[in-house]
Amino acid sequence: MRRGTRLTGRGVALLLLGLLAAGGAAYVGETDLVWVGLSLAALPLLALGYLFFVRPLVSHSRTLTPSTIPVGTSTRVVLKIANDSPGQAGALRFHDSADQSLGGGAGFVIARGFGSWSQAVGYTVEATRRGRFTVGPLHAQTADPLGLAMRGFVARGRDTVLRVTPRIWRLDDLAGGAGLGSAGDATPQRIGQAGSDDVLVREHRHGDDIRRVHWKMTAKKDELMVRLEEHPWDPSSTLIVDTRRSAHTGDGPDGSMEWAVSAVASVAALLSEGRHRLAILAPSGRVFESTRGSGEAAKQHMIEAMTDLVTSEETWLGSAVDDPESLTSVASLVAVTGLLDQADAAALAAAGGRARSLIAIVPDATRWQAPDEDHKEAIRFLRGRGWRVETFRPGEPVPQVWERVTR
């Protein structure tokens, strides 16, 4: 809607008709008809004056329920509109603007006549793209009672931000075959070549499993002692999300890029709930990093970071892991990628280091109708280097692929 005051088509037609009538009457010498024509021509001008002096005083407040939604879902927008101008008589046309990925907003008309009033209006928007989007401003348009002139303006009130997050799938526990472990896992390790493993003990500390108590040494020392044949594993995981524009096919929520973002966010949410130390890397740089014990707070920060993640113009996946030495101590490495080539696969293999678990989730190039020769060679290379590689198809639910990984 354009801002400012102007004549409508009806007002322009009446103005021209009045002027023509007055000119014709003057030409033939009909004075009375001249005044009639001038009166008709004056009506649109009076309408402009009315809108100029009787300014609309419209305000609004907007509520999104909910204000944060996963991509592909919808939210309810409720506008509470108030008019404080008693001279406002014409119908008000509104358009609440929004990004095209939210449907472009919504338009509606409120006709209440003279006097102050307030009214609530609601509509639904569906998010088709991840990110942060502004809903607003609220554009309005009013006209005089005869519809000869109109005035466009922006209603007073704040814009509202809608946050569209990746879809977070609920995944099964990590205790399966994925090898990622959980916060209480331990890696058994022999400490002697002969004799009993129970001879090395230490004092009991708060948090030690009661099953590790060495009762024989406890009786001898007269204090709780625990065995040392188990070394607790401090869980740490690094996730790699491939954001290279050139490596993905499809667009929007149905593209392989959004599938990868959703998968990484879902795995990261599961790890955060398990209080893993977590880092998410992308070709454009480090996306997120948490510390052990962050729990729900780390999960929310991770979702914020993944919401703002954008595609990269990088062409080599190795840009995400350009310092392999920094990854040698991680317990698990999970990469969700686009199409790979030999250079990408070599970079991932080098980044694996001594990680306990190496998992790659890659597109099924044939199903995505993409060139697959280099991609298949890269998959074979990774499998030969000890990686567990699973493929995903267009529209395939993330839990279905994750089940194959953990099975």
Side-chain angles (χ1 to χ4, degrees):
M1 292 182 177
R2 291 189 298 170
R3 299 178 66 175
T5 305
R6 63 190 183 279
L7 292 176
T8 63
R10 182 188 304 177
V12 172
L14 187 59
L15 177 62
L16 294 176
L17 179 61
L19 292 176
L20 287 174
Y27 181 76
V28 299
E30 293 291 340
T31 307
D32 294 338
L33 292 179
V34 171
W35 289 109
V36 172
L38 292 176
S39 298
L40 292 176
L43 286 176
L45 301 178
L46 291 174
L48 286 174
Y50 168 79
L51 293 180
F52 181 80
F53 289 105
V54 183
R55 295 177 178 272
L57 300 175
V58 178
S59 60
H60 75 283
S61 62
R62 185 185 297 100
T63 303
L64 303 182
T65 309
S67 60
T68 300
I69 59 174
V71 64
T73 61
S74 60
T75 186
R76 184 70 176 169
V77 182
V78 177
L79 282 163
K80 295 182 179 179
I81 303 173
N83 171 50
D84 297 322
S85 176
Q88 174 62 46
L92 285 167
R93 297 180 179 273
F94 293 95
H95 179 76
D96 200 23
S97 56
D99 191 89
Q100 287 301 318
S101 63
L102 302 179
F108 49 92
V109 178
I110 298 178
R112 295 292 296 268
F114 286 100
S116 302
W117 50 263
S118 62
Q119 183 170 328
V121 178
Y123 64 95
T124 300
V125 296
E126 183 175 354
T128 60
R129 189 157 55 92
R130 175 178 47 83
R132 299 173 191 269
F133 304 98
T134 299
V135 182
L138 178 63
H139 295 275
Q141 196 174 78
T142 184
D144 66 284
L146 298 178
L148 302 178
M150 66 175 57
R151 181 188 183 95
F153 62 97
V154 176
R156 292 176 300 172
R158 294 182 178 179
D159 298 343
T160 311
V161 175
L162 174 64
R163 187 179 64 163
V164 182
T165 68
R167 180 171 183 180
I168 307 296
W169 297 82
R170 185 67 185 178
L171 303 181
D172 291 335
D173 190 26
L174 294 171
L180 300 179
S182 59
D185 283 356
T187 303
Q189 179 177 336
R190 291 284 183 184
I191 60 174
Q193 299 297 325
S196 172
D197 288 328
D198 295 340
V199 295
L200 294 182
V201 295
R202 62 167 171 78
E203 296 85 358
H204 180 274
R205 299 171 185 165
H206 178 70
D208 286 336
D209 194 332
I210 195 69
R211 291 172 295 184
R212 296 177 57 198
V213 173
H214 190 291
W215 296 109
K216 187 175 181 180
M217 289 299 296
T218 296
K220 183 181 294 186
K221 294 281 188 178
D222 200 24
E223 61 177 314
L224 283 177
M225 308 292 289
V226 295
R227 297 187 298 270
L228 284 178
E229 81 279 8
E230 291 184 350
H231 298 279
W233 171 51
D234 184 17
S236 60
S237 300
T238 296
L239 308 183
I240 300 172
V241 55
D242 189 354
T243 58
R244 297 173 298 159
R245 188 190 305 273
S246 59
H248 290 282
T249 61
D251 193 22
D254 298 325
S256 61
M257 163 74 177
E258 287 304 319
W259 198 99
V261 171
S262 178
V264 168
S266 300
V267 175
L270 182 60
L271 294 172
S272 296
E273 291 171 358
R275 296 186 178 276
H276 285 226
R277 288 179 311 171
L278 179 64
I280 301 177
L281 307 178
S284 56
R286 189 173 296 268
V287 178
F288 171 77
E289 186 172 12
S290 71
T291 56
R292 185 179 179 184
S294 298
E296 186 64 25
K299 178 180 176 181
Q300 294 305 317
H301 290 150
M302 178 275 299
I303 293 175
E304 290 274 354
M306 296 299 286
T307 297
D308 298 329
L309 191 62
V310 297
T311 56
S312 169
E313 298 301 327
E314 293 280 351
T315 57
W316 182 46
L317 185 59
S319 300
V321 290
D322 53 3
D323 185 13
E325 291 298 323
S326 65
L327 300 174
T328 55
S329 62
V330 298
S332 60
L333 189 61
V334 181
V336 185
T337 74
L339 299 173
L340 301 173
D341 58 24
Q342 287 283 357
D344 300 326
L348 287 178
R354 297 189 299 273
R356 175 180 176 178
S357 174
L358 299 171
I359 298 171
I361 303 176
V362 304
D364 184 330
T366 302
R367 296 295 186 91
W368 286 95
Q369 299 180 351
D372 61 356
E373 191 58 37
D374 289 343
H375 186 63
K376 289 181 178 179
E377 287 295 329
I379 291 176
R380 281 194 287 269
F381 181 86
L382 286 174
R383 284 173 174 161
R385 298 301 187 278
W387 284 70
R388 173 72 178 268
V389 183
E390 290 293 341
T391 60
F392 64 89
R393 302 185 298 273
E396 187 174 20
V398 172
Q400 189 171 310
V401 180
W402 187 249
E403 183 181 2
R404 295 201 299 268
V405 172
T406 58
R407 189 165 51 210

